[in-house]
Amino acid sequence: MEAVVLEKQHELSLRDFADIDREEEVLGPRDVRIRLHTVGICGSDVHYYTHGRIGPFVVRAPMILGHEASGTVIETGAEVTTLKPGDRVCMEPGIPDPNSRATRMGMYNIDPAVRFWATPPVHGILRPTCVHPEAFTFKLPGTVSFAEAAMVEPLAVGIHAATKARIRPGDNAVVMGAGPIGLVTALSALAGGCARVFVSDIAQPKLDIAASLSPAITPVNVAQDDLAAQVLAATDGWGAEIVFEATGSPKAAAGVFEPLAPGGCVVMIGGQPDPIAYDAGAAMVREARVENIFRYAHAFPRCVNMIASGAIDVKPLITRTFDFKDSVRAFEIAASAPPGDVKMQIELPQ
């Protein structure tokens, strides 16, 4: 089985990989076997490649990368009722313990026992096939392409963040960061009812892409302009009702309250490797609400439906596609962080 394998920090290979746990490949009665078609390169994949770890998750043995995926069902377990061979699908990559307290409370994404693709020691899906539970596999309408379907996973982060923000129609929002997660969050905020979204970054090519997504998006290059000043000027000094932090930058996160309106909400999306500065006084005088998200829950069907209906268009975010044989080069390019790229994807042989 040829796969994209992170051998160790800074070392990737495309090779036969026989170390998948035998139990992982066994088709259970409520599982489906999927032939992979398109897999997105996520920032976490790149971070494991460049740093060898994310927080407590450390790459200690060769690991297959990839978790943003679409494909085709090729086999079903005996008790599967909603899917059949030939169905085009996308897959939610985190599988929780169905009996855990978090799962029973509906918060399965924060189940400590969740098994998430390409998070050590769990292998990802940059490989020909995988086995996945029916409950976390979603059939695609004919109007949704494999490439769009592989965008459902990052879009789910944005939809989860917008849901946590409790958007009201007509709200103004700020999204700090114009990377893939920042841009899907901006689209999610608009779909959720925001009248205007300010998107900030230091990379002008990414801001140009943000501006092209909707006339309701205002790009702000924070290398040149003051974000808070622009937001306050555009809102008669009131500020934005919602601020989404999607940079993962301690410097950016330290300023989340500056453009926030009184009574507003900050949603922390970007992962922070270390503790960050928190202006408790600025939060207090605004009586700010602060939400944190970890991945997503109950979001995949919503994302599929919004892409299918045209309520959200993710196609402009897919800026480069590679053949599977060029996967190592794709990761090397992704690691260089080209300013004009948002989402890179890999297509597997069919």
Side-chain angles (χ1 to χ4, degrees):
M1 179 187 67
E2 200 168 42
V4 178
V5 182
L6 177 60
E7 308 287 358
K8 58 184 179 180
Q9 184 180 356
H10 301 311
E11 185 178 330
L12 273 174
S13 63
L14 180 61
R15 64 174 175 88
D16 286 337
F17 191 82
D19 297 338
I20 289 285
D21 189 333
R22 295 288 184 184
E23 292 184 6
E24 188 178 333
E25 290 300 290
V26 172
L27 187 74
R30 296 182 180 176
D31 294 335
V32 294
R33 194 179 307 276
I34 300 157
R35 181 174 67 245
L36 280 306
H37 187 286
T38 301
V39 179
I41 298 177
C42 177
S44 66
D45 295 318
V46 174
H47 199 85
Y48 281 124
Y49 170 45
T50 57
H51 291 75
R53 65 182 301 156
I54 297 177
F57 301 104
V58 182
V59 178
R60 303 186 188 280
M63 179 183 77
I64 299 173
L65 293 173
H67 64 263
E68 305 173 359
S70 62
T72 304
V73 175
I74 57 175
E75 186 181 2
T76 61
E79 298 177 16
V80 171
T81 60
T82 63
L83 296 168
K84 63 183 186 305
D87 283 344
R88 301 162 59 254
V89 295
C90 63
M91 300 80 80
E92 186 167 347
I95 305 172
D97 175 359
N99 298 311
S100 74
R101 183 171 182 174
T103 300
R104 288 184 284 110
M105 293 175 68
M107 303 181 295
Y108 63 85
N109 55 314
I110 54 174
D111 171 19
V114 68
R115 292 176 54 82
F116 198 92
W117 281 337
T119 300
V122 182
H123 289 294
I125 38 70
L126 270 165
R127 47 185 159 120
T129 65
C130 69
V131 171
H132 206 56
E134 175 190 21
F136 291 90
T137 304
F138 303 91
K139 185 176 179 179
L140 302 175
T143 54
V144 178
S145 68
F146 284 116
E148 290 171 297
M151 287 294 296
V152 167
E153 198 276 342
L155 178 59
V157 177
I159 291 299
H160 191 52
T163 302
K164 296 277 276 191
R166 304 178 203 164
I167 295 168
R168 294 173 298 182
D171 277 350
N172 291 297
V174 171
V175 176
M176 293 179 166
I181 295 302
L183 294 184
V184 294
T185 300
L187 291 174
S188 300
L190 290 174
C194 283
R196 179 169 41 182
V197 178
F198 299 85
V199 177
S200 67
D201 206 287
I202 58 174
Q204 190 59 46
K206 286 183 168 59
L207 291 171
D208 292 340
I209 293 173
S212 73
L213 298 176
S214 169
I217 290 179
T218 300
V220 181
N221 190 325
V222 290
Q224 304 168 3
D225 300 305
D226 185 277
L227 174 62
Q230 287 217 14
V231 173
L232 291 170
T235 57
D236 297 323
W238 183 248
E241 284 81 8
I242 303 159
V243 173
F244 297 97
E245 202 301 296
T247 67
S249 161
K251 182 178 178 181
V256 289
F257 299 112
E258 294 173 10
L260 186 69
C265 176
V266 169
V267 184
M268 303 298 290
I269 305 172
Q272 296 288 346
D274 299 300
I276 61 172
Y278 185 95
D279 190 339
M284 181 180 67
V285 297
R286 290 166 174 80
E287 206 166 269
R289 177 167 55 91
V290 180
E291 296 280 358
N292 292 274
I293 70 163
F294 183 63
R295 297 171 181 157
Y296 38 73
H298 314 291
F300 265 57
R302 293 173 181 268
C303 295
V304 171
N305 289 340
M306 284 189 288
I307 292 174
S309 71
I312 288 181
D313 183 7
V314 295
K315 293 189 294 295
L317 306 184
I318 304 168
T319 50
R320 211 183 302 204
T321 304
F322 296 86
D323 290 334
F324 185 60
K325 62 182 175 60
D326 298 321
S327 294
V328 173
R329 183 170 70 90
F331 271 91
E332 292 171 348
I333 293 172
S336 72
D341 277 300
V342 178
K343 177 57 64 178
M344 301 181 188
Q345 294 184 332
I346 294 170
E347 287 189 358
L348 283 85
Q350 300 302 298

